[in-house]
Amino acid sequence: MTLSNAVVFITGANRGIGLEFAKQALARGARKVYAAARNPDTITLDGVVKVRLDVTDAAQVAAIPVLYPDVTVLVNNAGIARFGGFMDEGSEQSTYEHFETNFFGPLRLTKALAPVLAANGGGAILNVLSVVSWLNAPALAPYGASKSAAWALTNGLRLELAAQNTQVSALHMGFVDTDLTTAIDAPKTKPADIVARAYEGMAAKQPEILADELTQQVKAALSSDKAHYLIGNR
């Protein structure tokens, strides 16, 4: 799926990797880019159509296909990431909030826009996931669980939407150099590099896009005796 003449709907498009998705969509020839955020006033990029959207608000999501019936590409990017483990105080609420945005958000948007994509020839969906789709650690436990679930969601949607010719891709990456990771002391990839690999992967019809070296290594090691998700086990 190429972006030339596409109509792209991007959630969480006001900053970080979402903003970069919008920039590169325009640069790659998209006919129109819908940039969605809870507060559209925070979207400063010229050339996009600003959309008010909270992906946890079912009523707002339900209005999307009526208001934007020309969408051909959906980028489910909106997400939250908070530090904490499963045994921490308040972990149940944290896990609930992560799933509301990171799992149910993409599910709601996909169900809302799938008929629109079908009517427009099938189109494509990109779900922004993470290397922690395949591993977990106390620093980001609820976040990791939500991304693991979103990976399963993506794989299921790929099968369910194949009949309507909708391409469904998962984007996995490690830490990206955005404001969300400023407190993390670890190697980070530039948003521009991640997004470029994502769009190139979509153009190549890749069902799973591994956007950095760390992610490639972790995925390759999943079937080994010392798989990364077994770190800490004895």
Side-chain angles (χ1 to χ4, degrees):
M1 178 73 187
T2 63
L3 294 186
S4 178
N5 206 39
V7 178
V8 187
F9 193 102
I10 304 166
T11 64
N14 58 323
R15 63 179 187 173
I17 194 172
L19 175 59
E20 187 62 33
F21 270 115
K23 288 179 179 178
Q24 289 199 31
L26 292 172
R28 290 169 182 264
R31 174 161 51 91
K32 188 185 298 182
V33 174
Y34 294 118
R38 284 191 177 95
N39 180 4
D41 291 338
T42 61
I43 300 170
T44 58
L45 180 64
D46 292 333
V48 301
V49 179
K50 299 179 182 181
V51 176
R52 182 181 300 277
L53 176 64
D54 180 346
V55 299
T56 69
D57 187 321
Q60 287 188 18
V61 173
I64 295 300
V66 177
L67 297 172
Y68 312 105
D70 53 350
V71 174
T72 62
V73 176
L74 168 62
V75 178
N76 281 312
N77 167 74
I80 63 171
R82 298 171 186 159
F83 289 109
F86 290 129
M87 298 304 295
D88 291 351
E89 183 72 25
S91 65
E92 296 93 335
Q93 182 63 28
S94 177
T95 301
Y96 172 83
E97 291 171 357
H98 277 88
F99 269 75
E100 265 293 282
T101 299
N102 299 351
F103 177 84
F104 287 106
L107 176 58
R108 291 187 187 100
L109 263 294
T110 299
K111 291 182 72 173
L113 282 172
V116 171
L117 296 176
N120 294 330
I125 298 170
L126 177 70
N127 286 343
V128 178
L129 305 181
S130 170
V131 69
V132 298
S133 301
W134 307 310
L135 51 83
N136 203 295
L140 291 166
Y143 173 75
S146 71
K147 290 299 185 179
S148 294
W151 182 43
L153 170 67
T154 305
N155 293 334
L157 291 173
R158 186 180 301 113
L159 297 175
E160 293 190 42
L161 297 177
Q164 69 172 47
N165 198 36
T166 298
Q167 174 183 321
V168 179
S169 299
L171 173 65
H172 300 272
M173 66 278 188
F175 293 122
V176 184
D177 192 10
T178 68
D179 59 337
L180 290 177
T181 63
T182 52
I184 298 173
D185 183 16
K188 302 171 188 175
T189 307
K190 295 179 181 178
D193 293 339
I194 296 294
V195 172
R197 290 165 189 162
Y199 281 144
E200 288 161 7
M202 292 179 69
K205 298 183 178 180
Q206 294 177 359
E208 202 154 64
I209 302 163
L210 311 181
D212 56 28
E213 185 176 353
L214 171 64
T215 302
Q216 294 164 12
Q217 292 173 348
V218 171
K219 181 65 185 298
L222 285 180
S223 60
S224 71
D225 292 338
K226 295 183 179 180
H228 288 276
Y229 68 90
L230 296 175
I231 292 173
N233 287 357
R234 295 291 185 267

